[in-house]
Amino acid sequence: MTELVTGLTKSATGNAYKLYAGDLGKTFRHISHGAGTAATEVLKGFNLAIQEGEFVALLGPSGCGKSTFLNIIAGLEDFNEGRLLLDGAAVRGVSKTVGVVFQSYALFPWLSVQKNVEAGLRIRGVPARERHEIASRVLRMVGLEGFTQHLPHRLSGGMRQRVAIARALAYDPEVLVLDEPFAALDAQTREFLQNELLRIWETVGRKKTILFVTHSIDEAIFLADRIAVMTKRPGKIKSVIDVNLSRPRDDTARATAEYGRIRREVAAILQEEVELGK
Amino acid sequence: MANDISLQTATVKAMLVRDAGGKSIPSIQSLLKYDKYIYGLLGLAFFVFLWWFANSTGVLNPKFLSPPQTVLMTLIAGVLPDGDIWPEIWPSLGRGLEGFAIALALGILGGIFVGSFTLLEKVLAPILLFFRNLSILALFPVFLLFFGIGEESKIAIVAWASFWPIFISTTSAVKGVERILINAARTLGAERPYIFAHVVLPAAVPNIFPGIRLAASYAFTALVAAEYLGATEGLGIYIRASQERFEIPSMYAGILVLGLIGVAINLVLTGVEQRVTRWQLGITSR
């Protein structure tokens, strides 16, 4: 396991990876009453390397900084130390090759499903007819072709999240990052969407590189090629675990011995962190 | 009285349940859809009746308050193309709408700008607080000094008066826009101008509109005051001149026209508001 971690960080330049975070550090400074300025170290010595087309789940105790890392990749947040490379080039600000899906959907409530999905294309100046075609195709892919003219709040939570995924996929990003996208959904919908996500990921021509933030061990195992487990704050990667379950996966994967073994392993690592936190 | 009517409504509904095939009852039922208008008309009729009654019984001196039928006749004669009110309407309406349009553009642009940059808001806060609470009447001489007694000063006064409610509601509406929507737009690759026009503005519009409606009424209040100051034509000066000539029915007819313009503008704005905030149906209790 430790060899795996070092193995992942061996490339000094990180050039070979789709996404590479080297010794990343992030400190929030805030003005606190009485004590002048206070600083919270959220990430420290964070190393993660992801290959092209890989599905990586980022798992960690709550408040460990996993969403902060995701926001840094999304370009919504800056970092203080280390390097972040996308295709070997340093990332500063929002990269147009990254698509983001938020837990709270973040759809534009005044736009129809169709227009929401077209938004990224519109920003990129794609002509109206072309973006209509692309959006329609992506909406068919996520199974929402019958709801194109609906406003988002007329849809269920699971459908809204499918719209959000469609919106992020429409402009064909290289990397898709998802921040606990199914956490707010009920158990049945969650499992259905996990299957859907894998189906969509496997149908698109060239597999997208996915970073999936979650706090659910089961979700991480079912979806990912590798699971990166974080330490408590200040967060860094504690271990990376391979998930050797065959693809395409379906619900039977959840009943295999390998699944159970990984589950115990990951749970033990997480347990350690939670106890350290106490 | 209201109790009686709701009782009747209940009875009608109960009868409908029992006898859905009834012929005369559904027509009452279909009238109930327009209850807002029916009650409104009742209220209006009552008001006009009181007006007429107070006049004919001499409770109020007809020299000071002309009877409704006289005012109505003066009004109709006045707003005919060759009447004496007709030529006064357009200068006033023009000034009012021009000033309002300027306030709308500056108020929304300025409000989005100030609302988006916390630092700017902090810097400007004391200055804005001072001006927004300053009486418009106190500023009249200043406007006359800068813009003269012509059209410009009147338009400027109207613009000033209606700027503040729009600006203030826009500033707070912009601050209320959900951060996550802006973040979503940023991750989609949007730059600042796009975010302002396509995310901040539409998200803020429902909360800007109350300010816009308030501004419309401020606009015409300020307009009449500005016209009192000195104008050769316009409803304000018409109302005042009628009073000075002791043509009291004309004075009331002028007031009535002004009031109706206010009602019409409010209706137009409500219609626009319903159109642009239609997406909120089902999200809020609108």
Side-chain angles (χ1 to χ4, degrees), chain A residues 75-76 94 96 100 102 106-110 122-124 151 153-154 167 171, chain B residues 180-181 183-190 194 198-199 202-203 279 281-283:
Chain A
L76 297 173
V94 175
K96 291 207 174 186
V100 184
F102 300 92
L107 298 170
F108 304 119
W110 55 89
R122 195 173 167 191
I123 290 163
R124 283 163 180 74
L151 287 175
H153 66 268
R154 298 256 177 248
R167 182 175 69 179
Y171 55 90
Chain B
I180 187 85
L181 291 181
N183 280 347
R186 284 174 63 199
T187 63
L188 290 169
Y194 185 95
H198 292 97
V199 181
W279 57 270
L281 283 172
I283 299 180

Side-chain angles (χ1 to χ4, degrees), chain A residues 7-233:
Chain A
L8 281 166
T9 52
K10 69 171 182 231
S11 161
T13 57
N15 272 335
Y17 298 110
K18 188 74 194 171
L19 191 73
Y20 175 86
D23 265 333
L24 215 61
K26 167 77 185 173
T27 306
F28 283 106
R29 278 173 215 293
H30 37 85
I31 298 157
S32 65
H33 292 283
T37 57
T40 311
E41 216 170 22
V42 184
L43 296 175
K44 177 92 183 153
F46 186 101
N47 288 299
L48 183 65
I50 302 176
Q51 309 269 1
E52 162 110 47
E54 222 185 350
F55 196 133
V56 173
L58 188 61
L59 194 69
S62 60
C64 70
K66 44 189 196 290
S67 289
T68 304
F69 176 61
L70 184 138
N71 282 341
I72 289 172
I73 298 177
L76 297 173
E77 209 117 51
D78 215 349
F79 52 93
N80 315 101
E81 300 162 17
R83 290 188 304 158
L84 182 67
L85 305 180
L86 191 64
D87 282 321
V91 185
R92 274 273 172 256
V94 175
S95 161
K96 291 207 174 186
T97 56
V98 175
V100 184
V101 175
F102 300 92
Q103 183 186 337
S104 57
Y105 325 128
L107 298 170
F108 304 119
W110 55 89
L111 293 181
S112 66
V113 165
Q114 176 87 29
K115 297 267 185 241
N116 261 288
V117 175
E118 283 181 23
L121 298 164
R122 195 173 167 191
I123 290 163
R124 283 163 180 74
V126 177
R129 177 182 291 185
E130 198 180 325
R131 63 176 190 246
H132 187 272
E133 272 168 24
I134 295 170
S136 302
R137 181 170 49 75
V138 178
L139 279 168
R140 250 194 324 278
M141 189 168 74
V142 299
L144 287 177
E145 62 273 26
F147 299 90
T148 52
Q149 296 316 311
H150 282 58
L151 287 175
H153 66 268
R154 298 256 177 248
L155 306 178
S156 67
M159 288 162 104
R160 283 184 218 183
Q161 198 53 289
R162 278 191 276 165
V163 177
I165 292 170
R167 182 175 69 179
L169 287 175
Y171 55 90
D172 205 23
E174 304 265 310
V175 178
L176 191 63
V177 293
L178 303 97
D179 189 6
E180 306 196 21
F182 307 146
L185 304 172
D186 63 82
Q188 278 83 16
T189 311
R190 193 181 312 138
E191 288 195 2
F192 171 70
L193 282 185
Q194 288 165 0
N195 284 309
E196 281 288 287
L197 181 64
L198 287 184
R199 181 184 64 75
I200 293 162
W201 181 56
E202 277 155 3
T203 27
V204 288
R206 196 160 57 103
K207 273 191 184 171
K208 305 225 174 286
T209 309
I210 294 187
L211 181 73
F212 190 104
V213 172
T214 179
H215 61 243
S216 156
I217 300 177
D218 290 296
E219 190 166 68
I221 304 171
F222 181 67
L223 294 173
D225 295 323
R226 287 190 297 140
I227 302 172
V229 187
M230 286 180 72
T231 62
K232 64 175 175 52
R233 207 169 65 198

